[in-house]
Amino acid sequence: MNQPPKLNIGSHDLPVSAKLADFMMTGWADTERTDVRPLPCVPFTAPRREKLSALFAGHRLIIPAGTFKVRANDTDYRFRPHSAFAWLTGIPGSEAVPDTVLVFEPRGNGHDVYLYLHPRSSRESVEFFRDRRHGELWVGRNPTAKEAEVAYGIKVRHINDLATDIAGKSDTILVRGEDVKVDGLIGAHEREGELLQMLAELRLIKDDFELEEMRKAVEATVRGFEDVVRALPDAMKSERGERIIEGAFYTRARTDGNDVGYDTIAASGAHACILHWMRNDGEVNDGDLLLLDAGVEVESLYTSDVTRTLPVNGKFTDAQRKIYQLVYDAQEAALATIKPGAKFRDFHRASQRVIAKGLEEWGILPIPAEESLDPEVGLHRRWTLCSTGHMLGIDVHDCAKARADQYLDGVLEVGHVLTVEPGLYLQPDDLLLPEELRGIGIRIEDDIVVTEDGYELLTKDLPRHPDEIEKWMARLLENR
Ligand code: GLY
Ligand code: MN
Ligand code: MN
């Protein structure tokens, strides 16, 4: 395990004298940790690895955590491990070491699993104070191999041994594109696509640990939405009020979790009509609506994905309420379809039916709703724009690589976690709309888990009904 370090040194780092190097390597206390215990996820991650192992008997599988992604020049984004790696190892986001690689080494009908890791740099080499990437005095402490083995329940090897250990071995299937160094070590394999597919499909049904993490993500997100309501008076005073909103939520995400699960959409006024408005550089004005689509990603990397559309001053106008109520009714109709065995597309269809009928009643839809609801027609979609939900988990759009028959064309099963998020987006320049409705965008997005007898609304603590929203906002704004 004692490898000569290849140092990652920056262009402006000054040389270090031999005297300084010697001096730096002496006089340190022993800080080996003796209190490390297996993480609570360990009883759940081992069966996940076994399921994957059973699908690929005889093949070596390589799942990199990934590496840094450049933000600009020689500075990187904060590291976030690959979702399948996180699912298989349970390593929390803040602890994950860039460049780690998970290897399933075939043995008999199963696999031995190894975590190839850059462990804590000892004080016997200059790495700990010179290496920008792994040096303890640059980025903090990595676990030692022993600590990692105990905490994660996986055998650990040094990352520097990976190339030698897998050199010349065939039948290796890689999750490609996450770590360019590992990509270079392994040739293409015809089952690469299948590995990704399986890593998505195995994640469709959440285990009890995952459901607990989802609940934590939702709880933190609810606190974040409360913070945002309290920040509204400040947001109204700023030229970039949407940034105040984004910042308020981000503070909660970083305080209570690992990060936001995706870039926050803080869309005020007509910006709410843009599905993924992430520029967030607009004003937040009295009388407008704020569409906030945001989710806290907890340390285990599970994220919630929630949208509320809130009246900035705490009270919906009649026009806003009329549109909000239609989206609310669409969401109620969608939720009512959710149960094991229902088709994944059913909840989307149910919400679209309510919205198409509403648009017909308001004289906006130029054809009868029934005709519009024919998938070959779909004119109402001018105002709904996107589908009504998706799987949710470690990725905000979870299990995206699952085959259609398992997901989009499949049926709901107990343990599926998904969003239900109907919306109406009435563009400010849409001449087919009455003037008083233009520039209003509403989305209501909730997270649910499918249960034996229907579903559990994970986001139940965040009000949805317009009356409840007004009461909730009044309470928060009074007790600021
Ligand atoms: N926040 C992205 C989505 O709702 O799917
Ligand atoms: Mn969503
Ligand atoms: Mn969302």
Side-chain angles (χ1 to χ4, degrees):
M1 286 284 234
N2 266 337
Q3 299 294 320
K6 291 184 213 110
L7 293 177
N8 297 288
I9 294 180
S11 55
H12 52 284
D13 291 336
L14 296 173
V16 167
S17 71
K19 280 189 181 154
L20 174 59
D22 285 347
F23 181 57
M24 285 300 287
M25 288 191 282
T26 57
W28 303 103
D30 177 6
T31 54
E32 182 79 22
R33 288 190 179 151
T34 52
D35 58 348
V36 179
R37 298 282 172 271
L39 293 178
C41 63
V42 165
F44 296 90
T45 51
R48 294 179 201 163
R49 293 192 294 273
E50 276 159 26
K51 280 186 201 152
L52 183 68
S53 166
L55 293 169
F56 291 92
H59 297 282
R60 181 171 303 95
L61 305 178
I62 304 206
I63 299 107
T67 188
F68 288 109
K69 295 185 171 77
V70 174
R71 179 176 184 277
N73 190 26
D74 63 353
T75 56
D76 300 310
Y77 289 104
R78 195 195 326 276
F79 176 66
R80 197 270 194 194
H82 184 263
S83 298
F85 173 91
W87 182 75
L88 289 163
T89 63
I91 300 176
S94 301
E95 277 180 34
V97 176
D99 309 329
T100 305
V101 178
L102 188 68
V103 176
F104 285 59
E105 189 62 36
R107 188 163 66 86
N109 280 335
H111 293 85
D112 289 331
V113 182
Y114 297 98
L115 196 64
Y116 281 79
L117 176 82
H118 194 117
R120 183 190 186 202
S121 35
S122 80
R123 303 263 156 128
E124 285 147 27
S125 93
V126 295
E127 183 184 75
F128 79 96
F129 77 95
R130 294 207 65 195
D131 191 283
R132 293 176 157 260
R133 200 178 180 92
H134 291 292
E136 189 165 328
L137 303 197
W138 282 92
V139 295
R141 193 182 193 282
N142 289 353
T144 64
K146 202 163 129 199
E147 290 163 1
E149 281 187 353
V150 174
Y152 314 138
I154 307 175
K155 289 185 210 114
V156 171
R157 290 180 171 173
H158 199 294
I159 187 63
N160 291 357
D161 295 335
L162 178 68
T164 328
D165 287 0
I166 60 174
K169 291 184 177 164
S170 58
D171 231 344
T172 302
I173 316 177
L174 169 68
V175 170
R176 195 172 290 281
E178 291 304 314
D179 188 331
V180 71
K181 297 181 297 305
V182 185
D183 289 357
L185 298 174
I186 296 156
H189 192 288
E190 59 185 9
R191 294 183 71 186
E192 266 177 22
E194 194 190 334
L195 176 58
L196 286 177
Q197 224 167 47
M198 291 305 133
L199 284 169
E201 290 177 11
L202 287 171
R203 282 161 47 201
L204 279 165
I205 293 178
K206 273 57 181 178
D207 61 34
D208 287 348
F209 178 84
E210 294 181 287
L211 293 179
E212 233 5 81
E213 294 302 302
M214 286 304 307
R215 287 193 181 93
K216 283 188 211 159
V218 167
E219 283 164 17
T221 299
V222 170
R223 292 191 286 276
F225 273 69
E226 290 169 351
D227 295 339
V228 162
V229 172
R230 289 190 204 98
L232 279 169
D234 285 344
M236 280 194 268
K237 290 184 210 137
S238 166
E239 276 179 17
R240 295 177 117 195
E242 290 175 348
R243 290 285 166 98
I244 305 254
I245 300 301
E246 178 187 326
F249 192 83
Y250 184 66
T251 300
R252 178 61 68 177
R254 288 291 288 161
T255 309
D256 289 9
N258 181 58
D259 208 332
V260 286
Y262 52 92
D263 285 332
T264 294
I265 297 165
S268 193
H271 290 160
C273 301
I274 298 164
L275 291 175
H276 287 177
W277 174 259
M278 294 181 293
R279 295 184 208 168
N280 301 345
D281 60 355
E283 294 175 358
V284 173
N285 289 321
D286 194 345
D288 280 347
L289 293 172
L290 169 74
L291 183 155
L292 175 69
D293 183 343
V296 174
E297 173 189 271
V298 288
E299 278 295 335
S300 53
L301 302 180
Y302 290 83
T303 186
S304 64
D305 177 12
V306 178
T307 307
R308 287 293 180 268
T309 310
L310 309 171
V312 169
N313 62 15
K315 286 268 175 215
F316 290 97
T317 65
D318 289 345
Q320 291 164 352
R321 189 179 264 268
K322 169 173 147 166
I323 303 168
Y324 190 102
Q325 188 65 45
L326 183 60
V327 178
Y328 180 87
D329 293 345
Q331 196 191 34
E332 289 283 281
L335 289 168
T337 70
I338 294 197
K339 57 175 186 225
K343 292 197 183 93
F344 178 80
R345 290 182 193 232
D346 284 353
F347 72 94
H348 173 69
R349 281 204 200 98
S351 79
Q352 296 295 293
R353 172 164 293 276
V354 171
I355 284 178
K357 287 201 179 293
L359 291 172
E360 180 184 37
E361 267 168 40
W362 295 347
I364 291 171
L365 193 62
I367 57 172
E370 282 307 329
E371 189 185 337
S372 188
L373 287 163
D374 178 344
E376 297 298 318
V377 183
L379 298 197
H380 60 280
R381 293 174 60 186
R382 174 180 174 116
W383 298 287
T384 61
L385 295 177
C386 71
S387 73
T388 311
H390 51 84
M391 296 292 176
L392 181 67
I394 296 186
D395 285 312
V396 61
H397 299 152
D398 212 34
C399 312
K401 296 226 156 52
R403 285 167 294 182
D405 65 336
Q406 302 290 308
Y407 183 175
L408 197 57
D409 299 329
V411 293
L412 298 179
E413 292 184 51
V414 174
H416 281 171
V417 172
L418 49 140
T419 69
V420 179
E421 50 175 309
L424 255 182
Y425 308 96
L426 308 181
Q427 304 299 332
D429 56 348
D430 188 339
L431 301 180
L432 303 191
L433 297 170
E435 236 175 288
E436 76 275 12
L437 299 189
R438 289 184 204 160
I440 295 178
I442 312 262
R443 175 158 67 251
I444 312 172
E445 178 171 28
D446 283 84
D447 303 342
I448 62 112
V449 54
V450 180
T451 58
E452 296 285 353
D453 49 5
Y455 68 92
E456 175 191 336
L457 188 61
L458 295 169
T459 37
K460 61 183 175 314
D461 290 338
L462 207 52
R464 289 186 298 129
H465 189 277
D467 294 343
E468 297 301 316
I469 285 185
E470 287 181 354
K471 275 191 233 154
W472 170 74
M473 289 183 72
R475 180 172 54 77
L476 290 165
L477 289 166
E478 261 166 37
N479 303 315
R480 235 157 62 90

